[in-house]
Amino acid sequence: MHSQRTFAPEGQSVPQARRFVRQTLQEWGADDLTDEAVLATSELVTNAVVHAGTPVRVGLEVDAQGLRLEVQDLHPHRALPLGVQRPDDEAEHGRGLLIASALAGAWGVDYSAGAKRVWLRMERGDTSGVSPTAPESRRTEAGADGLAVVELSTDGAILSWNGDAEQMFGWTAKDVVGRSWRELAQPLDRGATTDGRADVPSWADQRWQGICTVRRKSGATTRVFVSRVTGPPGEGAVVLIVPLARRMLLEWPAPQSRAVAEGQDPLGLREDALNRLGFQAYLDLVVERCRDRLGGQAAYLLLSRDLDGDFELTTVSGLDGSVRGTRAEMGDLGAPDARNPQLPVVLSDLTESQVPWLAGTGLRSLVVVPVTMEGRTIGALGVASDRLAGFSDEEAVLLQRIANTIAVAADRARLRVSERERRGWLTFLAEAGDLLAGSLDQDMTMAITGQIVVPQLADWCAVYLDDSRGRPVLQQVWHRDERAAASVRAALEQATAEPAGSDESAREEIALDRSGADSSPGDASPNGGPGNGEGARSSNGRSRDERLRGELRSVPLLARGRRIGLLTLGRAEGDPLQGEALVVAESVARRAALAIDNAQAHGQLQAMGEALQRSLLPASIPEPPTFEVGVVYEAAGERSVAGGDFYDLFPIGNRRWCFAVGDVCGSGPEAAAVTGLARHTIRALTLAGFPVASTVERLNAAIIEEGERARFLTLVCGTLEPQPGGGLRMSMVSAGHPLPFLVRRSGEITQVGRPQSLLGVLDQVEFVADECLLERGDLLVTVTDGVLERRDGDRMLEEEGLREDLALARDLPAQAVAERIRRLVGDFAPGPHADDMAVLAIRVAPPGAYPARAVPAEGPSAGAFPANRPPDRDDLEESTG
């Protein structure tokens, strides 16, 4: 037997196709295949209507072994996947073919020049001797509309066989009387009993009803509906038999409580349906069957979310998939009743009140039942119809039975989604903590906070920090659309600014809530969200800035028990920050507050340290009248400004100058302390008139007196005195320091001075000053071991490497020489400096050159190239000798 029908490419074709399949199979007596065929038809026709958009032809063919279902559309180039895998729980596609493949014994897709045909083959559970009866042959059977009556003995033997039974099966009473009823009839399902049992019928001791196959005299079998009525005790029973199409004449309802207690599924699904399909596919199947069972055009499932007081639309049938994820609160239309959350709701007319996810569908009535678990409403199951008053109370009771049946699966699916989401949030918080902990810069920490929050938790966010009066001051704004960040910042600045001439109440109205609770800029409402509609206003009647439209929420930034600011988050209208997302936002705010507070404290300490370190170096490069000066200084470490190396150059009267370059053992604050001691001691002693040797001896004694805080110190200290011929006389002591390099105008390079004991080792030590004459054009270069000990693997720069570079730089100005040495050190080995580095270059003014004017240093490592100035009287005297 075969039949087919073509349907238009529109939404109403899906229920029409389901009705066609159901009616056809029932007429053919193939009730055992009806439910699966209707479900597969619904899925395949929906796919064809939505994706192909062409007329759809549904074909049915039934034989003794089972059913072949074909769904054909006219879009041959839209391929379907044959290797169907179980989709991810969050996938929005592929479930139709998954369900179809689970129901069918075989299936496939055939292509032709102008069409595509998806076919399914569904086999019968017991095909032995089963032969479907065509509608034509059934109409010619003499007993097709009769009532067969068979009387049985207590042991199941046939006692009587009426005429309708003879006409229905071909057996005469003489043929069957005395034979066992079990020889002719076999039940196809467990049926139902009056006491709630669902066993294979025992013909002599209880009342039973169900579908059986009865063997006809011709050898074929036919499927009928059987109702066995119990007779008086000890007198057997009477069996009433009708064709399946007339089963309503005999069918009586089974006790619901016992059926549910024994796990009977009111949807007629297989016992292993959940195991075979998985949670989400199973719920998709349930919603589809609810829609079919109640004759509706759409069905849906709402499930609650942990920590939230609302529901989320998770599964739909007959609706656009884009409505998934729609949120609803208890008491909203389409959700459980807030006053009686565990009772069904029947809405007979939706004309005046529309359910959001049913808007524009033309559906006019709705039945909603709660899904409860352990006394708590965890969701709702709803079916909608395009008819007014489309559902009766009996259908509401049926839907409630279905909801009770799926409650455990729905709760497990809900918990699985919640657990997956929670794991995602935990990972998000862990990564956020790592990012925030990795920064000690306040601005960078606030920037990281914005990058964490947007867009995961909000469309835009702003960070406010409290000033000394405790009032929040806008710091930074981030927006998922960078082009909109400036306008949001302007709106927030305007909202939190104090208007000229305003009183305190007006200022409080537009300012952020200083308690840090749930208010936001420009909004005095308790929840921090804007009013709804175009006329949304704040508490004093002022309209909210259009740039701040949406859902706003301010979360306090709390660190060590005090509020340091606010984190304000903006989201789209109708999508407030709540539930688990709000808990995550508060957790991010706590982490951000602690990171910002740490950055503030570190910044203050850093500023103090930098100020103290800068005090260890000269504030500017002086301007000696008879020689040029070049300086380079770099402290080891990313954030160090000054360390164990130092330099100094200062006048000591009578046109004399003192210079010093030193290197304290180690680095950090302890080395810096010795640096300060050395620099200021040298200044004090030389300005008091002590010669260089005595100055170094007294500095050694001062370092020794420091006791445990003392550090070894190498030092080159000398004085420069102008000579009548324009040169300089240098008196110098080298206390354990690398000897200075002297580059003569002729190109000769030597190291001057003698090595002597370093400072801070011996209590009593005598130093001897070395004298040297620097002629015009000569260059004196003093460096610390951070230059000479620069390493590249096993190689070190050392004196020879510096000597070669100085030979090339002998004619450069002093500052250019110092900068060249800096580049030499950087080029010699990659990476940051492992030791402090100081370079002091002094070039005696060559004949005819004007003395250099000193330029104030802009930083500890900055030097000034000499700048010419008009000569003064001292210069003229020196130039004339």
Side-chain angles (χ1 to χ4, degrees), residues 187-318:
L188 286 181
D189 59 18
R190 294 178 299 177
T193 63
T194 53
D195 61 357
R197 292 180 59 191
D199 303 321
V200 174
S202 175
W203 300 109
D205 59 3
Q206 63 181 353
R207 186 178 179 188
W208 183 90
Q209 68 175 10
I211 300 174
C212 290
T213 60
V214 179
R215 185 160 53 87
R216 298 168 57 85
K217 189 173 182 178
S218 63
T221 59
T222 184
R223 299 168 73 247
V224 294
F225 186 81
V226 175
S227 179
R228 192 190 61 76
V229 181
T230 304
E235 296 187 7
V238 175
V239 176
L240 306 179
I241 307 170
V242 294
L244 283 179
R246 304 186 68 201
R247 64 186 293 174
M248 70 287 298
L249 296 177
L250 301 179
E251 191 170 14
W252 38 266
Q256 292 185 10
S257 60
R258 185 64 178 271
V260 174
E262 293 194 5
Q264 289 190 12
D265 191 341
L267 290 170
L269 296 177
R270 296 172 50 142
E271 291 182 350
D272 61 347
L274 178 58
N275 294 336
R276 296 181 69 195
L277 298 176
F279 287 114
Q280 189 58 52
Y282 174 77
L283 293 177
D284 286 344
L285 177 58
V286 167
V287 171
E288 177 63 35
R289 287 220 168 176
C290 289
R291 171 186 172 192
D292 183 58
R293 275 296 181 91
L294 273 67
Q297 280 67 50
Y300 61 86
L301 176 64
L302 292 170
L303 290 179
S304 66
R305 300 183 60 176
D306 285 349
L307 304 180
D308 289 356
D310 57 0
F311 301 94
E312 180 178 345
L313 192 64
T314 61
T315 307
V316 296
S317 174

Side-chain angles (χ1 to χ4, degrees), residues 779-791:
L779 174 67
L780 181 71
V781 177
T782 305
V783 301
T784 60
D785 57 9
V787 175
L788 301 177
E789 295 179 2
R790 180 65 167 175
R791 284 187 174 274

Side-chain angles (χ1 to χ4, degrees), residues 65-116:
Q65 285 72 40
L67 164 69
R68 179 182 173 92
L69 168 65
E70 295 182 354
V71 177
Q72 176 179 294
D73 62 63
L74 303 180
H75 198 310
H77 301 296
R78 186 180 293 278
L80 293 176
L82 290 179
V84 177
Q85 303 293 328
R86 176 174 295 176
D88 186 86
D89 283 347
E90 297 179 354
E92 302 294 342
H93 56 81
R95 302 195 184 279
L97 291 178
L98 175 67
I99 294 174
S101 65
L103 297 173
W107 70 285
V109 184
D110 296 333
Y111 295 92
S112 62
K116 176 176 77 267

Side-chain angles (χ1 to χ4, degrees), residues 539-795:
S539 59
N540 70 348
R542 299 181 183 179
S543 297
R544 171 186 287 278
D545 195 310
E546 286 291 338
R547 294 167 291 185
L548 301 182
R549 290 284 178 178
E551 306 288 348
L552 272 65
R553 188 99 182 198
S554 287
V555 181
L557 295 174
L558 302 175
R560 299 178 176 88
R562 62 185 180 89
R563 201 193 81 168
I564 65 170
L566 291 172
L567 177 63
T568 299
L569 300 96
R571 292 163 67 101
E573 190 78 37
D575 184 23
L577 184 68
Q578 58 185 0
E580 194 149 2
L582 177 58
V583 173
V584 173
E586 292 172 342
S587 182
V588 170
R590 288 193 297 271
R591 288 167 168 78
L594 190 60
I596 293 173
D597 192 54
N598 288 339
Q600 287 178 332
H602 181 269
Q604 293 171 357
L605 291 175
Q606 185 72 19
M608 294 172 57
E610 290 177 359
L612 291 175
Q613 290 180 20
R614 288 192 181 97
S615 68
L616 304 178
L617 301 174
S620 62
I621 297 176
E623 49 177 32
T626 57
F627 57 90
E628 301 173 357
V629 179
V631 174
V632 162
Y633 183 89
E634 287 189 6
E638 181 181 354
R639 294 184 175 272
S640 297
V641 175
D645 290 10
F646 68 95
Y647 70 92
D648 203 356
L649 178 68
F650 55 94
I652 56 177
N654 296 326
R655 300 176 62 194
R656 299 168 59 237
W657 291 79
C658 178
F659 72 92
V661 176
D663 183 359
V664 179
C665 178
S667 60
E670 294 83 1
V674 177
T675 297
L677 172 66
R679 180 167 173 264
H680 294 296
T681 299
I682 292 172
R683 277 185 173 248
L685 293 175
T686 53
L687 288 172
F690 286 89
V692 173
S694 298
T695 297
V696 176
E697 290 172 1
R698 284 167 171 76
L699 174 59
N700 180 71
I703 294 175
I704 294 295
E705 290 174 359
E706 289 292 304
E708 294 182 357
R709 295 183 300 175
R711 292 292 183 98
F712 301 148
L713 170 66
T714 66
L715 175 70
V716 169
C717 182
T719 59
L720 300 172
E721 181 178 0
Q723 298 299 304
L728 297 173
R729 177 165 296 279
M730 179 178 68
S731 178
M732 180 199 73
V733 171
S734 177
H737 198 84
L739 298 177
F741 289 84
L742 177 60
V743 183
R744 297 290 187 181
R745 288 186 60 189
S746 61
E748 178 187 359
I749 301 177
T750 59
Q751 287 183 274
V752 296
R754 77 187 74 177
Q756 302 186 59
S757 175
L758 74 166
L759 307 180
V761 177
L762 303 175
D763 293 342
Q764 299 292 330
V765 60
E766 293 185 359
F767 291 96
V768 178
D770 295 306
E771 303 288 334
C772 180
L773 179 63
L774 306 182
E775 299 177 351
R776 285 182 174 269
D778 288 351
L779 174 67
L780 181 71
V781 177
T782 305
V783 301
T784 60
D785 57 9
V787 175
L788 301 177
E789 295 179 2
R790 180 65 167 175
R791 284 187 174 274
D792 180 18
D794 296 333
R795 297 188 308 122

Side-chain angles (χ1 to χ4, degrees), residues 161-196:
W161 184 270
N162 74 345
D164 284 344
E166 182 176 342
Q167 294 176 3
M168 190 177 297
F169 304 113
W171 300 99
T172 65
K174 183 179 180 180
D175 294 329
V176 296
V177 170
R179 296 177 63 178
S180 172
W181 170 248
R182 291 183 180 274
E183 295 180 10
L184 301 179
Q186 292 294 330
L188 286 181
D189 59 18
R190 294 178 299 177
T193 63
T194 53
D195 61 357

